[in-house]
Amino acid sequence: MDWFVEPFALGFQQRALVGGVVAGIMASVVGTWLVLRGMSFFGDAFVHGVVPGIAAAVLFEFSPFFGAAVAAAVMVLGIELVHRQTALNEDTAIGLLFVGMLALGVVIISRSSSYTGSLTTILFGDALGVTGDALVGQAAMAVVVVALAVLLYRPLLALSFDRTKAEALGMRPALTHAVLLVLIAAAVIGSYQSVGTLLVFGLLVGPPATAALLSRTVPMMMAMAVGIAVLSVWLGPALSFHWGTAGSATMAIVPIVLFFLTLAATRLLARRRRQAARGRDAQAAAAVETRR
């Protein structure tokens, strides 16, 4: 147990852990709907899309939450504009805004005298620099995000599996989709200090994708995703402490490694079950032949 406890002996390390746990819970709950809807590429682009807003906030010294919210709105409007005004599909629009918004963010932050440090913090987070006030704001945002994700369970579930049916049932899928975009933006904004805008994507997709391999229902998938996210943000900093690696990056890569380990284990178990089933079928066939 000392191996797991020692990295969190100091106050700033404990704040980093709490911030990571809150970010993991928020990101994995929202990420469950992201994975179910097949919007992982959009989520990745969205994560990059808030970079200019945060960069502008750092440069001009205003709230990074406001900056990220404005950038997220611009990202969504830009995708809709390209998709509706041209014959290009949505993936092309997302790709254009993906690169454009990230590049704009780097251009803005390059105007700062502390260019390298500010850019590193925005992209990769500063888990050990999380303050008590930041934790309070992050926790409040997490409560709102998780509550909305749970309260909108039925509309989000219907939207994830059959948009046409959701519309026929009067669930207003367009509005539900807009709310989901807001939840994704809130999860990214609330997590960027702990794990960074680039690495939060690991927590948005990794835990839900891993949970999808093990669960049969959406509530179970969401609960397992939260558990995997919490494990990741505990194990990540512990590995970082003992190995001397970057804390935020180590935290973000853990759920990805867990996904591939789980995938390998589930495929191996499925193969053994098929082999066992074939063996039982062969034995049953042999017994029938013997009785004849």
Side-chain angles (χ1 to χ4, degrees), residues 3-279:
W3 193 91
F4 288 99
V5 174
E6 185 183 1
F8 308 105
L10 302 177
F12 71 90
Q13 294 169 322
Q14 293 165 6
R15 288 193 295 273
L17 176 62
V18 173
V21 167
V22 174
I25 292 172
M26 183 165 39
S28 58
V29 168
V30 175
T32 298
W33 298 115
L34 200 69
V35 170
L36 285 174
R37 290 209 61 204
M39 293 174 60
S40 295
F41 179 53
F42 176 84
D44 190 17
F46 206 81
V47 166
H48 291 76
V50 301
V51 172
I54 299 173
V58 171
L59 184 62
F60 299 110
E61 299 182 351
F62 60 86
S63 170
F65 296 101
F66 174 75
V70 172
V74 171
M75 176 84 177
V76 173
L77 291 174
I79 291 172
E80 286 296 311
L81 177 66
V82 174
H83 180 54
R84 293 181 183 277
Q85 299 298 322
T86 71
L88 301 173
N89 61 31
E90 195 172 48
D91 283 350
T92 304
I94 292 171
L96 289 169
L97 272 296
F98 179 118
V99 177
M101 295 295 278
L102 178 59
L104 177 61
V106 175
V107 168
I108 291 172
I109 203 63
S110 67
R111 301 283 297 173
S112 170
S113 57
S114 57
Y115 165 57
T116 303
S118 298
L119 182 62
T120 300
T121 299
I122 292 171
L123 297 181
F124 303 107
D126 182 18
L128 297 180
V130 177
T131 64
D133 290 340
L135 285 179
V136 172
Q138 185 184 20
M141 186 173 290
V143 169
V144 173
V145 168
V146 172
L148 283 174
V150 172
L151 288 172
L152 294 173
Y153 174 81
R154 288 189 63 209
L156 286 169
L157 184 67
L159 179 64
S160 299
F161 291 103
D162 193 334
R163 185 185 180 102
T164 304
K165 187 174 182 180
E167 195 167 318
L169 292 172
M171 290 188 175
R172 303 178 69 182
L175 178 61
T176 303
H177 178 72
V179 173
L180 179 58
L181 297 184
V182 172
L183 294 179
I184 296 169
V188 173
I189 294 166
S191 304
Y192 90 90
Q193 185 173 0
S194 293
V195 295
T197 53
L198 294 186
L199 301 178
V200 69
F201 188 64
L203 292 177
L204 270 172
V205 176
T210 305
L213 299 175
L214 302 171
S215 57
R216 294 182 176 276
T217 65
V218 174
M220 184 182 295
M221 177 181 169
M222 192 174 289
M224 291 184 71
V226 169
I228 293 167
V230 171
L231 173 63
S232 298
V233 298
W234 182 288
L235 187 58
L239 292 172
S240 169
F241 178 84
H242 291 291
W243 291 353
T245 56
S248 298
T250 307
M251 187 190 305
I253 203 172
V254 168
I256 311 304
V257 173
L258 289 176
F259 170 81
F260 284 104
L261 289 176
T262 304
L263 177 63
T266 53
R267 295 291 80 81
L268 181 61
L269 284 173
R271 181 181 299 176
R272 288 185 175 178
R273 285 172 182 165
R274 287 195 298 269
Q275 291 173 345
R278 284 197 295 265

